[in-house]
Amino acid sequence: MSAEIREREALFSSKNIKLLKNPLNLSNPITVQVLGICSALAVTAKLEPAIVMAISVTLVTAVANVVISVLRNGIPPRIRIIVQLVVVATLVIVVDQILKAFVYDVSKQLSVFVGLIITNCIIMGRLEAFAMANKPWPSFLDGIGNGLGYGLILIVIAFFRELLGSGSIYGFNLIPEQFYELGYKNNGLMILPPMALIVVGVIIWVQRYYTRDLIEKN
Amino acid sequence: MQEIFNIFIKSIFIDNMIFAYFLGMCSYLAVSKTVKTSVGLGAAVIFVLGITVPVDYMLNEYILKAGALEWLDASFVNVDLSFLSFIMFIAIIASMVQLVEMIVEKFSPALYSSLGIFLPLIAVNCAILGGSLFMQEREYQSLAQATSFGLGSGVGWFLAIVGIAAIREKIRYSDVPAPLRGLGITFIITGLMGIAFMSFLGIKL
Amino acid sequence: MYSNGYIFRYAAIMVIIAAALLSTAAMLLKPFQERNVAIDKMGGILASAHIPDVTASNSIKLFNEFVTEEIVLDQNGEVVESYTEANKENAKAFSLDMKVELYKKSQGKPFELPLYVINKNGQSLYVIPVRGVGLWGPIWGNIALSSDLNTIVGVTFDHKGETPGLGAEISTAAFEDQFIGKTIFDNQGQFTSIMVVKGGIGKLPENERIHGVDAISGGTITSNGVNDMLKDVLETYLPYLQKHR
C-alpha cells in the first residue's frame, strides 16, 4: 500500500502540479510565451468556436507531447522538426478522416480548425521546449496545462469580442432591444482581427499589473 | 509579365500576410525587439516562402491535383491525391526550415542564438503554410506567378517585421505604463497598424 | 551523435509509417466519407428549397421523394439528359462535380451542368448548385429558383474553412434568408445576378435593392467571394435560363 501512495505522490507531486498551473498565469502560452497568436485571432470573434478550439488544442497538445516524449531518445536532432510536424499532422489528419467517415456533422464543424491546429505554434513550441527533454507523464501534464492556459485567454478574448461586437454571448442576444432603439450600436470594429490584438494587449496589461514579476525591463 | 509584377506588388501591400491575414504573428511579435534580428528572421521567411511556394506549386500541379498524374500515364487521369496536400506541404516546409536552420547556425551563430526557438517555429509560421494553401486556392497559372506570389508575401512579411522592430526600438525611450511595456504595447501597436493597412483592402490590381 | 545512415533510416521508416497510416485511413474510410458527402449534397439541395425536417438519416428518402427530374445541360444551355427514374442518386447530374465542370469552362473546354427540379406543393422549383472561392478555401451552395426562373425561393451556402464568426456567417440563416424573394433579372429582362453589398443594400438605388443583399461585416473577402460565385455560375446557366423564362 505504501508503494501505491508513493506512486500517487509522484504522479501529482508539487512539481507536476506546477506544470499544470503555471501556464494559466506565469508562463501563459499567449501572453507570456507569445505562442498561438494566429489562431487566437482567427477563432475569437465568437465564443463557440473559441471553446471548440480550446478543447481541441488541449487534447492535441497533450497527446502530441506524450508521443514525442516517448520517441524523444530516438529522434535525430537534425530532422527533429520534420519528425514533430509529421507526427502532429498525421495524428490530426487521421482523426479528421475518422470523424468525416462516422460523425460527419462534428467533422464539418471541426474541419475548419484542422489546419489551424496543425500549424498552431503552441503545439510545436511545447514539443520543442518540453517534450523533447522530459518524460511522458510530465509532458502530458505540460500539454494539458498549456492547452488550458491558451483556452483561458481565448475564452476571455472571445467573450469581450462577441459581447461588444455582436451583442451576444454564445449566440444568445444579451443586449436588450430597447438599447438599440435608444441608439446603442454593436461595435463592428470588435469583430475585426486588429481589435483582437488590442484586446490581448489590454489583457497583458491587466495580468502584469497584478503579476509584477512579468513586467519587462527595457 | 505585367501580371507577375501585379501579383508581386499585391502580395506585398494589399494581401500583406501580417496586416491583411494576420498570419505568422507569433514570431512577428516575439522576435521584433531589434531591427537587426528582425531583418535576419525576415530574410529567412522570404527565403523559405520563395522556395516552398514554387516547390509546392510543382508538387500540386504534377502530383497532387485531381488528374495531375496524367503526364505519367493516361490511366492515372482519375487519381486524386489532394488529401495528401496538407501533409506534403508541411513536409516540404519543415525540410526547408531545417535547411535554413543549419545554414544560419553555420554562418551566423549570433543570429542563431538570438532567434532561439523561433527559427524552428518558422515551420509552423502560419504565413508559410498559408502561402502554400493560398497558392493552391488561387490557382496561379504558371510557376513564375507562384514564385512571385511567394517572394512578394515574404517581402511583405519582412517589411512588416522590420517596421514594428523600428517602432519598438524608438518606443524604448517613451514612458509606457510599466505593465504594458514590451509585449503589451507591441500587441496594441500591431492592432493599430493592422487597422491602417485595411485601407489597402479595396484596391484592385 | 547520430550517423547519417541512422538519420536516413529513421526518416524513411517514419515516412513509410505515416504514409501507410494516412493512405489506409483514406482508402478504408472513403466509402463512408463519400456516402456522407452525397447525403450532405442532397441535404443542401433540399434545404435550399426549404423542404422541412431534412436530417442526415432521411435525406436520401426525401431526395427521392421531392426531386422529380435531374437535368444535365451542355454549355449552350441545351438539355443533354433528363433523368426521372426512381433512384435519384444514380443520375448523371448528381455525379457531376461543379469544381471540375467550372475548371473545364475556365480552360475553354466543353462542360456539362447539373440542374435539379423539385416538386414542392405542386410547384416546380429549379435548384442550381454554385461553387466559388472564399478567403481560405472553397465556398459552395445551392440556389432554388421558382418556376419563373427569376425569383429566388431559398439558398444554402457552405464553406470549407472561412473564419468562424466572420466569413463563416455565410452559412447562417440570417445571411441566407436575405436572398428569399430577390430576383436575378431586372424588369427589362437583363441579367443582374445578386449583389452582395458591403455596408448594406441601403447603398443601392431604390430600384436595384431587389437584386442585392447585405454583406457580412468583417467578412468582406468571403462576401465578395459569394458575390463573384453567384455572378459566375448563374452566368454559366444563362443560356438555359433565358430560353425557358
Side-chain angles (χ1 to χ4, degrees):
Chain A
M1 190 186 140
S2 62
E4 217 185 292
I5 290 175
R6 225 181 295 140
E7 175 82 324
R8 274 214 196 115
E9 274 173 343
L11 277 185
F12 284 105
S13 62
S14 62
K15 207 174 123 221
N16 283 345
I17 298 269
K18 245 189 207 146
L19 288 177
L20 270 179
K21 258 167 70 182
N22 272 357
L24 293 181
N25 186 11
L26 284 177
S27 64
N28 188 286
I30 293 186
T31 61
V32 181
Q33 302 178 52
V34 212
L35 295 173
I37 310 291
C38 311
S39 53
L41 299 178
V43 300
T44 52
K46 291 267 163 70
L47 202 53
E48 197 187 337
I51 292 173
V52 174
M53 184 73 182
I55 297 171
S56 329
V57 166
T58 309
L59 292 178
V60 176
T61 318
V63 174
N65 256 1
V66 170
V67 174
I68 291 295
S69 169
V70 169
L71 295 176
R72 72 183 187 283
N73 291 323
I75 299 177
R78 279 206 207 151
I79 55 163
R80 65 183 195 287
I81 302 173
I82 309 177
V83 176
Q84 292 163 359
L85 270 179
V86 169
V87 168
V88 176
T90 313
L91 276 178
V92 175
I93 293 175
V94 168
V95 170
D96 180 53
Q97 298 268 346
I98 293 174
L99 290 178
K100 220 181 247 167
F102 299 110
V103 265
Y104 193 73
D105 284 346
V106 178
S107 135
K108 243 175 97 178
Q109 283 167 13
L110 284 181
S111 66
V112 179
F113 300 97
V114 170
L116 287 172
I117 293 171
I118 297 177
T119 51
N120 195 316
C121 8
I122 290 189
I123 298 170
M124 268 294 283
R126 293 325 292 169
L127 292 181
E128 179 81 7
F130 197 89
M132 284 299 282
N134 286 284
K135 293 208 175 106
W137 175 245
S139 302
F140 177 75
L141 292 181
D142 180 77
I144 298 273
N146 276 285
L148 291 178
Y150 165 82
L152 180 72
I153 300 290
L154 233 61
I155 289 168
V156 174
I157 308 173
F159 177 83
F160 285 109
R161 283 182 77 190
E162 189 174 349
L163 180 65
L164 300 175
S166 316
S168 59
I169 292 294
Y170 211 82
F172 297 108
N173 282 328
L174 275 195
I175 312 279
E177 249 344 276
Q178 292 92 323
F179 273 49
Y180 290 106
E181 277 158 27
L182 286 173
Y184 174 83
K185 275 203 169 135
N186 289 329
N187 187 349
L189 200 58
M190 285 306 286
I191 51 177
L192 296 177
M195 277 315 282
L197 283 168
I198 294 176
V199 173
V200 180
V202 175
I203 293 176
I204 292 178
W205 191 353
V206 173
Q207 185 196 13
R208 292 190 183 181
Y209 182 80
Y210 289 105
T211 321
R212 289 266 159 186
D213 296 346
L214 290 175
I215 292 176
E216 289 172 46
K217 290 174 201 76
N218 266 335
Chain B
M1 195 60 222
Q2 198 203 350
E3 178 69 7
I4 292 170
F5 187 69
N6 275 353
I7 291 178
F8 187 69
I9 295 295
K10 205 173 153 196
S11 49
I12 295 179
F13 293 105
I14 302 169
D15 293 339
N16 188 294
M17 280 287 176
I18 295 268
F19 295 124
Y21 298 116
F22 297 89
L23 291 179
M25 275 306 192
C26 312
S27 27
Y28 169 84
L29 290 164
V31 193
S32 55
K33 281 201 180 108
T34 62
V35 171
K36 201 160 165 265
T37 39
S38 61
V39 167
L41 188 70
V45 168
I46 297 183
F47 181 77
V48 174
L49 264 175
I51 290 184
T52 54
V53 173
V55 170
D56 286 345
Y57 176 81
M58 299 295 277
L59 198 68
N60 188 44
E61 203 71 358
Y62 293 105
I63 297 182
L64 298 174
K65 226 161 74 172
L69 283 172
E70 205 181 345
W71 60 275
L72 263 183
D73 190 291
S75 60
F76 286 145
V77 73
N78 286 324
V79 178
D80 182 1
L81 291 178
S82 51
F83 70 95
L84 282 176
S85 57
F86 223 98
I87 194 154
M88 291 300 281
F89 289 173
I90 294 236
I92 298 278
I93 290 168
S95 41
M96 284 302 147
V97 170
Q98 197 97 58
L99 201 68
V100 172
E101 195 190 358
M102 289 184 212
I103 294 171
V104 175
E105 192 181 5
K106 184 130 194 159
F107 292 104
S108 171
L111 181 64
Y112 181 75
S113 59
S114 63
L115 291 179
I117 194 182
F118 284 95
L119 198 53
L121 284 186
I122 296 186
V124 273
N125 186 324
C126 348
I128 312 271
L129 186 68
S132 287
L133 292 177
F134 282 155
M135 170 276 296
Q136 190 186 27
E137 194 51 52
R138 293 181 192 163
E139 292 175 349
Y140 287 113
Q141 305 294 326
S142 68
L143 186 61
Q145 287 189 6
T147 315
S148 108
F149 166 71
L151 285 175
S153 304
V155 173
W157 203 89
F158 177 89
L159 284 182
I161 194 169
V162 173
I164 191 99
I167 296 180
R168 285 182 77 172
E169 279 193 359
K170 292 278 176 265
I171 221 167
R172 216 167 293 158
Y173 306 108
S174 336
D175 190 17
V176 180
L180 204 54
R181 229 177 268 155
L183 197 57
I185 193 76
T186 312
F187 268 99
I188 293 179
I189 294 172
T190 313
L192 294 176
M193 285 171 89
I195 293 176
F197 251 77
M198 283 187 148
S199 54
F200 280 122
L201 266 183
I203 297 176
K204 284 222 160 71
L205 258 184
Chain C
M1 245 352 249
Y2 295 95
S3 68
N4 283 341
Y6 177 80
I7 294 180
F8 273 118
R9 274 202 307 276
Y10 195 96
I13 292 173
M14 182 190 70
V15 166
I16 291 169
I17 293 179
L21 213 62
L22 282 176
S23 39
T24 327
M27 299 277 269
L28 285 181
L29 301 173
K30 199 155 194 194
F32 299 102
Q33 294 174 352
E34 279 175 350
R35 182 111 193 118
N36 284 329
V37 171
I39 288 175
D40 195 54
K41 193 171 170 182
M42 290 177 192
I45 292 168
L46 293 172
S48 68
H50 294 291
I51 307 293
D53 307 322
V54 180
T55 62
S57 49
N58 67 6
S59 357
I60 298 181
K61 191 179 138 269
L62 289 177
F63 191 77
N64 282 321
E65 191 178 317
F66 280 99
V67 176
T68 50
E69 191 182 357
E70 291 170 278
I71 301 171
V72 178
L73 304 172
D74 67 6
Q75 62 266 41
N76 304 320
E78 301 295 342
V79 176
V80 180
E81 188 190 293
S82 159
Y83 189 95
T84 51
E85 280 158 54
N87 222 340
K88 291 291 188 293
E89 30 173 339
N90 298 332
K92 186 181 172 195
F94 191 72
S95 69
L96 287 177
D97 183 349
M98 279 307 274
K99 184 179 164 192
V100 177
E101 300 306 318
L102 290 174
Y103 179 74
K104 283 188 197 158
K105 184 193 168 203
S106 72
Q107 299 292 308
K109 290 184 193 156
F111 55 91
E112 291 175 320
L113 298 165
L115 180 70
Y116 305 93
V117 184
I118 285 184
N119 188 324
K120 191 190 172 193
N121 307 334
Q123 237 201 339
S124 290
L125 307 177
Y126 294 79
V127 178
I128 296 175
V130 292
R131 189 181 169 92
V133 282
L135 170 59
W136 303 107
I139 52 177
W140 62 92
N142 297 286
I143 302 178
L145 298 174
S146 74
S147 49
D148 65 356
L149 291 178
N150 182 17
T151 317
I152 293 180
V153 178
V155 296
T156 53
F157 294 118
D158 214 333
H159 61 95
K160 188 166 164 220
E162 299 308 301
T163 318
L166 302 177
E169 299 284 298
I170 57 167
S171 59
T172 58
F175 181 70
E176 290 167 354
D177 287 350
Q178 294 186 76
F179 286 82
I180 299 171
K182 303 281 161 140
T183 57
I184 58 172
F185 292 97
D186 66 13
N187 293 337
Q188 278 82 46
Q190 279 293 322
F191 173 66
T192 57
S193 180
I194 298 290
M195 286 164 280
V196 182
V197 188
K198 193 183 171 182
I201 53 171
K203 286 192 169 175
L204 290 177
E206 198 90 40
N207 60 342
E208 285 179 21
R209 286 184 196 166
I210 190 81
H211 310 301
V213 294
D214 299 343
I216 289 156
S217 51
T220 311
I221 297 176
T222 314
S223 301
N224 290 347
V226 174
N227 186 61
D228 297 347
M229 164 172 83
L230 294 176
K231 187 161 175 294
D232 292 348
V233 177
L234 289 176
E235 238 166 27
T236 316
Y237 280 87
L238 211 51
Y240 177 86
L241 296 178
Q242 277 170 336
K243 231 171 282 174
H244 293 81
R245 288 187 66 211

